[in-house]
Amino acid sequence: MDKKKTSKGKKIPKATIIRLPVYLHYLTELAQKGISVVPSHDLAELAGGNGPQLRKDLSYLGEFGTRGVGYNVGRLAHHISKFMGLNKEQSVAIIGVGKLGMALINYKGFAEKGFKICAGFDNNSQMIGKKVDDLVIYDVRDLGKIIKEKDIEICIITVPASEAQSIADKLISCGIKAILNFAPIFLKVPDDVVACQIDLSIELQILSFYRTLLK
Amino acid sequence: MDKKKTSKGKKIPKATIIRLPVYLHYLTELAQKGISVVPSHDLAELAGGNGPQLRKDLSYLGEFGTRGVGYNVGRLAHHISKFMGLNKEQSVAIIGVGKLGMALINYKGFAEKGFKICAGFDNNSQMIGKKVDDLVIYDVRDLGKIIKEKDIEICIITVPASEAQSIADKLISCGIKAILNFAPIFLKVPDDVVACQIDLSIELQILSFYRTLLK
């Protein structure tokens, strides 16, 4: 999944895909501060990059900004949102309400970015039917029914590794096309499903490696 | 940080760096099952890749395996561990013991991979001095003293965005060279410090974008 084609057939590098939400984050912050125009150099610096890289990244979306004037903050934010499919609220469910699942339910950052957590699921009878703030924890056996009822589009898997693949298979059979997986196994999914993995130990191992390169 | 040079001066792509811990994960699993030799195709498939990619990845570490026989599981795991600086236990502290910090403290996967969480830090007087299992939560004002005492090498930041940069600055002034940051801001760090960021909302945005490409 290193390069993906846009609908216009242009290949977009993964590094660009990763930077686009970062630009969006800072554009939103600028807009909140009442700033309506930002020079490309300033936006690039906020995002930890440089002007030429920013201009190259944005070239995948079309042409923006006027040389010497900068980008219209609201317009660019809108275009990035639309390009990434972020211009409408998306419904999310969390499968596995252990400590990590609970932390994610309580994480305010998702709602700020337009991801509404609509349901939690667990197989522990002590959890089922409980509420976390306004969120109901459902029986994992009711996945299909609730996904349909609540029009859930994205699922986050926070179950133990041993259960993750069978949960993923079940989600896919319920029509889910996008899975964020925190369990430390690589999910096997068909070509018409996207699964991204966050393995917290692997992140530490990568960090550890970069540290050895400093020495 | 897309390409890094190894000590032998060979540039190693980031995609390889990300896959090495995955190979290590499956090698460890194979070893636990008593399997001592694995064909490259099998190991590659476990890690979600293919044989040629695996052989290319491992070429950065030197030569391994014998054509037609496969890799010695224990030997390859040892080499990857050593190459990535994972061949000894590393001490980790978590700064910010809110819900996410607490979930990370309770996450068993870190210890399994040789990362020992040695201390938690918070500025909330209700938390300071408390214990989570065997782990003491210290006052963030004692960072310097405890980092030295416990020989902490890696810090995980789980404080709010508004406090993350000042915490990072403090960690760096205490000699920390490796930071894993969960706060949704890009940390500015000097060249001799590595900071990796995990922004959970950005992961969902990237997933959302890949989903739009499926349509």
Side-chain angles (χ1 to χ4, degrees):
Chain A
M1 206 150 67
D2 271 4
K3 286 202 176 189
K4 281 279 168 182
K5 278 189 182 178
T6 67
S7 52
K8 284 170 192 146
K10 224 176 177 180
K11 277 200 180 172
I12 175 162
K14 191 170 180 188
T16 295
I17 297 171
I18 292 170
R19 282 190 293 263
L20 289 176
V22 181
Y23 301 138
L24 186 58
H25 173 88
Y26 286 103
L27 288 166
T28 309
E29 252 187 30
L30 291 169
Q32 281 163 354
K33 286 180 188 161
I35 296 166
S36 58
V37 175
V38 61
S40 69
H41 174 267
D42 291 9
L43 178 59
E45 201 175 46
L46 279 171
N50 55 53
Q53 186 184 63
L54 171 68
R55 284 188 292 273
K56 178 98 180 83
D57 286 342
L58 295 183
S59 72
Y60 293 98
L61 285 76
E63 277 309 315
F64 293 99
T66 314
R67 191 168 284 274
V69 178
Y71 297 110
N72 177 307
V73 169
R75 186 165 161 255
L76 183 55
H78 172 78
H79 271 89
I80 296 178
S81 284
K82 203 176 153 196
F83 184 74
M84 297 195 78
L86 302 170
N87 51 339
K88 64 172 195 70
E89 194 177 75
Q90 294 178 75
S91 297
V92 178
I94 293 185
I95 327 296
V97 189
K99 287 192 180 101
L100 183 57
M102 195 67 90
L104 295 180
I105 287 173
N106 283 291
Y107 179 62
K108 300 292 167 237
F110 290 146
E112 282 168 18
K113 308 277 178 177
F115 297 98
K116 190 182 173 200
I117 300 186
C118 295
F121 291 90
D122 210 291
N123 62 3
N124 175 350
S125 58
Q126 306 254 312
M127 294 296 300
I128 295 164
K130 288 228 167 133
K131 272 191 170 188
V132 183
D133 293 331
D134 276 341
L135 191 91
V136 179
I137 312 302
Y138 296 96
D139 190 330
V140 78
R141 284 180 291 190
D142 295 330
L143 263 176
K145 183 174 149 247
I146 307 292
I147 282 174
K148 212 168 173 181
E149 262 178 39
K150 296 194 174 275
D151 199 16
I152 288 165
E153 296 166 285
I154 297 176
C155 286
I156 300 179
I157 294 183
T158 45
V159 302
S162 58
E163 296 168 36
Q165 184 65 54
S166 73
I167 289 288
D169 294 344
K170 196 164 177 189
L171 293 174
I172 294 164
S173 76
C174 296
I176 291 294
K177 299 282 185 203
I179 297 171
L180 186 61
N181 173 35
F182 280 87
I185 68 152
F186 276 73
L187 296 178
K188 290 192 200 323
V189 299
D191 285 346
D192 65 339
V193 173
V194 282
C196 291
Q197 180 165 25
I198 303 185
D199 184 322
L200 300 171
S201 304
I202 286 184
E203 299 292 337
L204 272 187
Q205 290 178 312
I206 293 168
L207 185 67
S208 163
F209 176 64
Y210 281 120
R211 196 167 67 101
T212 68
L213 296 182
L214 292 175
K215 287 175 183 168
Chain B
M1 207 149 64
D2 270 2
K3 286 203 175 187
K4 282 278 168 183
K5 277 188 182 175
T6 66
S7 52
K8 282 168 193 149
K10 225 176 178 180
K11 277 200 181 173
I12 176 163
K14 192 169 181 191
T16 295
I17 296 171
I18 291 171
R19 282 190 293 264
L20 288 175
V22 181
Y23 301 139
L24 185 57
H25 173 88
Y26 286 103
L27 288 165
T28 309
E29 252 188 29
L30 291 169
Q32 281 164 354
K33 287 180 189 161
I35 296 167
S36 58
V37 175
V38 62
S40 68
H41 172 268
D42 292 8
L43 178 59
E45 200 176 47
L46 280 171
N50 55 53
Q53 184 184 64
L54 170 68
R55 284 188 291 274
K56 178 97 179 84
D57 286 343
L58 295 183
S59 72
Y60 292 98
L61 286 75
E63 278 308 317
F64 293 100
T66 314
R67 192 168 283 272
V69 178
Y71 297 109
N72 177 308
V73 169
R75 186 166 162 254
L76 182 55
H78 173 79
H79 271 90
I80 296 178
S81 285
K82 203 176 154 195
F83 183 74
M84 298 196 77
L86 302 170
N87 51 339
K88 65 172 194 70
E89 193 176 75
Q90 296 178 75
S91 297
V92 177
I94 292 183
I95 327 297
V97 189
K99 286 191 180 101
L100 183 58
M102 194 67 90
L104 295 180
I105 287 172
N106 282 292
Y107 179 62
K108 300 292 167 236
F110 290 147
E112 281 168 18
K113 308 279 178 174
F115 297 99
K116 191 184 172 197
I117 300 185
C118 294
F121 291 90
D122 210 292
N123 61 3
N124 175 349
S125 58
Q126 306 252 313
M127 294 295 301
I128 296 164
K130 288 226 167 135
K131 273 191 167 187
V132 182
D133 293 330
D134 276 343
L135 191 91
V136 179
I137 311 302
Y138 296 95
D139 190 331
V140 77
R141 284 180 292 193
D142 295 330
L143 264 176
K145 183 173 150 251
I146 307 292
I147 282 174
K148 212 168 173 182
E149 264 179 38
K150 295 193 173 274
D151 200 15
I152 288 165
E153 295 166 285
I154 296 176
C155 287
I156 300 179
I157 295 184
T158 44
V159 302
S162 57
E163 296 168 37
Q165 184 65 54
S166 73
I167 288 288
D169 294 345
K170 196 162 179 193
L171 293 174
I172 294 163
S173 76
C174 295
I176 291 294
K177 300 283 185 203
I179 297 171
L180 186 61
N181 173 35
F182 280 87
I185 68 153
F186 276 73
L187 297 177
K188 290 192 198 323
V189 300
D191 285 345
D192 66 339
V193 173
V194 282
C196 291
Q197 180 165 27
I198 303 184
D199 184 322
L200 300 172
S201 304
I202 286 184
E203 298 292 336
L204 272 186
Q205 290 178 313
I206 293 167
L207 185 66
S208 164
F209 175 65
Y210 281 120
R211 197 167 65 101
T212 69
L213 295 181
L214 292 175
K215 287 174 185 169

